[in-house]
Every structure is written in structure tokens, then in C-alpha cells.
């Protein structure tokens, strides 16, 4: 008795509960960012293009049904006027992203080569600016052309090296530990749904299946 | 240009890179464990039944193609002779699982009711026993019947309250930060695959789609 994956009317495949877009750093860099830079077909349309400067992190558009409402992924372009701005603050919405520490390498698991660089930033806002709980992981391709904006010399393929891929999320608060004495049950959680995965209870992942 | 999800010969659906089984605590308890306890249809066959006592954590069978080779999920039965053993060591393979701290409640996001209890254990082995980097999260249903092994009084449905669902993984080591000077590129990561997701590079998630 299995629930089969089903297509909804708009061509989106609903996945069973627990399945979601949860890529590793390596997958983000090699399977998504690298293809974006080289204009190769992407494995899915899950990651939208976003102008980061226009959004507070909580206003960023949701992915195409990735099942992770709390984590947002998007492609962005590094600013052309200052491509080597790893230490700069980056204006966004009503505040700015401030990098924490140095960029770190992303390595390929098979051959242990560095394939990208990862920068972690914290969103700041207010006067004086104070840090929020919003975090961004920004990935760029590693390589000899990584600080140029385009490249027509890499084989016969023109590449846009200023694409980055980002993961934005709100840091989780530490939960307060309580004893089992505080447990309650209510009707909202004692009913079993019918397994169709249509209920609000199911936070199913989904993905586009159409071109 | 999108890659469509495809069924392989054995009825397994291959998902694009980055999609995997990555359930929240709430999903594990409400969508999987609760259905298991009440013999309701499961949303997918991703979680196998395993006799925990027989396995070292690194020998546990892989899930049914969940795309998370490093995290293993399984259903197990609490030992009948001592159902209330939250503090006991639990023999497994060549060592034992030792609980760390108290159980913690798993709450439903919609109504904030406690729906399960989560226990964290660390695998120990050797003489004298020393802890390893293997961690287990064990979830049981919360409720008035949670310490009995079966229940024929809950409506007309007999339930097996001794089912638990577990997540086992190896704690990640902290990576050493290195500068961009150490970056290298090799042929193993400079080739773009054709987007079909068949290469070893793609760590695609997959799920069973057949009964």
C-alpha cells in the first residue's frame, strides 16, 4: 500500500512527506551553479533568479515548491562594478548582508578538488545596525576565471562567472527542554490522514516536471 | 530545458540532484511512525524495518534509495521485556547505544501539541567502552498508551505502540579552513554532464513508486 507520486494540474510533482530539496554544498556548486554559469540545462527549475538587493530575507520569493519553506535558494549576480567584494557589505532590502570570516572551499567528494567557494553572511538592519538571525550561504565557482564576469575562451562556450547561488534561512532558536509531564494531545494531531498527502499536515516536497 | 523525473526499470523514481529524504522530526513522527503504529498506509517505502541489536551503525542497511547515503532511517521495536528503558544502554552489533540526557518532546507545528518523544544516543564500543561519532535519534509516539506494546482499545484499531523510528548518522568532523591559494581544478570536476543525472556525480534522491 504505497502512495504513488502524483502530478498536479500545473505539472508539479508532489513528493511524499519528508522528501525535499536539500542539496549538499557540492550539489549546489556542481549540479546547479556550474550549469548556470555555462548555460547548461539545469536538473530542475527549483532555484529562481533573484535580485538580492531588492529583498529583505523574509520577503525572498519561495522556491518552486521545494518542500523547504524555511530555506530559500536562488541564483544571483555578483555586482559588476566590484566583482571581488568578498569582504564588502551587500545592501539588501532595508538592511545589508555582512560577511562573517573568510570564504571556505567547497570540495568535490570524489576527487577532493576545490570546485567552489562558500561565504557566510548575516543580515543586519536598524540604526545602529544590529545583526539578525537571518543567514546566507553564497557560493561561487572556483577557478581561474572566477573573478571575471564573462569568458569566451573556455573551450567554445561563453560563461557568466558572476552567477552565484545562495541559501538563505533563519537560524533556529534553541528549544527549551521540557519533561514528558507537559505532554498534551489534541484532536488536531490524533487523526490519521488517508495517506494521500493532500492534508496541510503533509509538508510534501514537490518539483517541476515540465520544461 | 528541464530534466523530467524518470522511472527506472525496477519502479524507482529518480529525483533530480539535491532532492532527498530529509524529514523533520514532526514528519517522522506524524507521517511515518504514527502510521506504522496504527498499521495505516505509509507515504513511501523509504524506511525499512531493522533489528537494531544486530547491527553496528556503519553496517545498517541503506534506505530504499533516499539520496542520503550518510543518514539511515529505520523502524525498530522497543524490547518487550523492558518497554520503559529510556535510560538503558541498548546492545547493538559489537557495542551499545547509550542515551545522552533526557528525552525531548516533538511538537506539531500547527497546534504545538506534543506528538512524540525524541531520544539521542551515542554508539560506544571497545574495552573499556569509548564513545564513537555515531549518533542515533530515536522517536516514539507520545500518548497515554506509549509504554504498552499493543492497544486494542483505541477506537476499533489495534496499535503497536512499541514501534520506534530512528535516524542514524555519523557526526561530521569540523573541516579545516584553507585559503583559496590551495585550490586546484582537475578533469574530474571540470566536465559538465549532460543533465540526465545518470552520472556518478549526481547524488540524486529516489523513491519507490510501487506497492
Amino acid at each position: 500500500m504505497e502512495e504513488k507520486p502524483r502530478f498536479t494540474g500545473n505539472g508539479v510533482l508532489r513528493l511524499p512527506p519528508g522528501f525535499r530539496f536539500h542539496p549538499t554544498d557540492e550539489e549546489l556548486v556542481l549540479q546547479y551553479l556550474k550549469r548556470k554559469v555555462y548555460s547548461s540545462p539545469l536538473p530542475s527549475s527549483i532555484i529562481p533568479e533573484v535580485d538580492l538587493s531588492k529583498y529583505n530575507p523574509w520577503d525572498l520569493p519561495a522556491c518552486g515548491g521545494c518542500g523547504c519553506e524555511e530555506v530559500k535558494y536562488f541564483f544571483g549576480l555578483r555586482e559588476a562594478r566590484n566583482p571581488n567584494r568578498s569582504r564588502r557589505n551587500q545592501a539588501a532590502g532595508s538592511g545589508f548582508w555582512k560577511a562573517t570570516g573568510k570564504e571556505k572551499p567547497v570540495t568535490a567528494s570524489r576527487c577532493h578538488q576545490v570546485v567552489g567557494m562558500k561565504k557566510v553572511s548575516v543580515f543586519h538592519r536598524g540604526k545602529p545596525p544590529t545583526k539578525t538571525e537571518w543567514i546566507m550561504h553564497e557560493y561561487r565557482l572556483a577557478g581561474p576565471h572566477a573573478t571575471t564576469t564573462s569568458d569566451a575562451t573556455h573551450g567554445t562556450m561563453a560563461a557568466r562567472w558572476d552567477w552565484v547561488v545562495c541559501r538563505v534561512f533563519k537560524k533556529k532558536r534553541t528549544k527549551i527542554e521540557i519533561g514528558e509531564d507537559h505532554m498534551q494531545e489534541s484532536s488536531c494531531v490524533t487523526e490519521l490522514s488517508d495517506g494521500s498527502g493532500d492534508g496541510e499536515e503533509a509538508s510534501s516536497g514537490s518539483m517541476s516536471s515540465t520544461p
Side-chain angles (χ1 to χ4, degrees), chain A:
Chain A
M1 290 292 291
E2 292 290 326
E3 177 191 356
K4 293 187 179 180
R6 290 164 313 136
F7 289 90
T8 62
N10 57 2
V12 169
L13 177 66
R14 283 188 62 83
L15 301 175
F19 286 85
R20 47 176 46 86
F21 187 59
H22 186 76
T24 62
D25 290 356
E26 179 184 356
E27 284 170 338
L28 270 180
V29 170
L30 287 183
Q31 301 291 340
Y32 288 88
L33 178 59
K34 189 164 188 176
R35 293 172 193 272
K36 189 76 174 173
V37 165
Y38 284 104
S39 301
S40 296
L42 291 168
S44 82
S45 59
I46 194 82
I47 305 180
E49 292 178 13
V50 164
D51 180 352
L52 181 64
S53 67
K54 293 185 176 165
Y55 292 95
N56 291 309
W58 50 90
D59 292 328
L60 280 165
C63 305
C66 62
C68 291
E69 300 74 14
E70 295 174 0
V71 186
K72 290 165 179 176
Y73 295 89
F74 59 88
F75 289 117
L77 286 169
R78 287 192 289 170
E79 292 159 21
R81 67 177 180 275
N82 191 351
N84 190 14
R85 52 155 183 65
S86 63
R87 284 289 184 178
R88 262 186 78 236
N89 293 341
Q90 188 170 5
S94 62
F96 60 90
W97 292 98
K98 183 176 182 178
T100 66
K102 286 202 298 187
E103 285 185 303
K104 293 181 182 173
V106 176
T107 54
S109 52
R110 279 199 298 159
C111 60
H112 308 291
Q113 301 301 321
V114 173
V115 291
M117 296 300 290
K118 175 181 182 177
K119 182 172 73 171
V120 179
S121 302
V122 178
F123 190 69
H124 287 63
R125 70 188 300 224
K127 288 187 180 178
T130 51
K131 70 177 179 183
T132 69
E133 293 180 311
W134 287 91
I135 310 293
M136 178 164 69
H137 297 166
E138 181 183 313
Y139 303 83
R140 63 179 175 86
L141 278 195
H145 307 283
T147 56
T148 61
T149 56
S150 65
D151 165 31
T153 62
H154 193 96
T156 56
M157 200 160 38
R160 287 215 57 173
W161 282 89
D162 46 350
W163 280 116
V164 293
V165 65
C166 300
R167 175 194 289 126
V168 171
F169 59 96
K170 193 174 181 184
K171 211 164 36 174
K172 281 184 185 167
R173 294 163 190 264
T174 306
K175 285 183 184 167
I176 299 163
E177 187 178 333
I178 61 169
E180 197 169 353
D181 296 343
H182 297 78
M183 289 195 308
Q184 300 170 47
E185 286 242 1
S186 91
S187 59
C188 85
V189 292
T190 51
E191 295 157 21
L192 282 171
S193 61
D194 63 359
S196 69
D198 277 331
E200 284 174 45
E201 207 173 321
S203 55
S204 308
S206 60
M207 61 183 181
S208 169
S209 64
T210 51

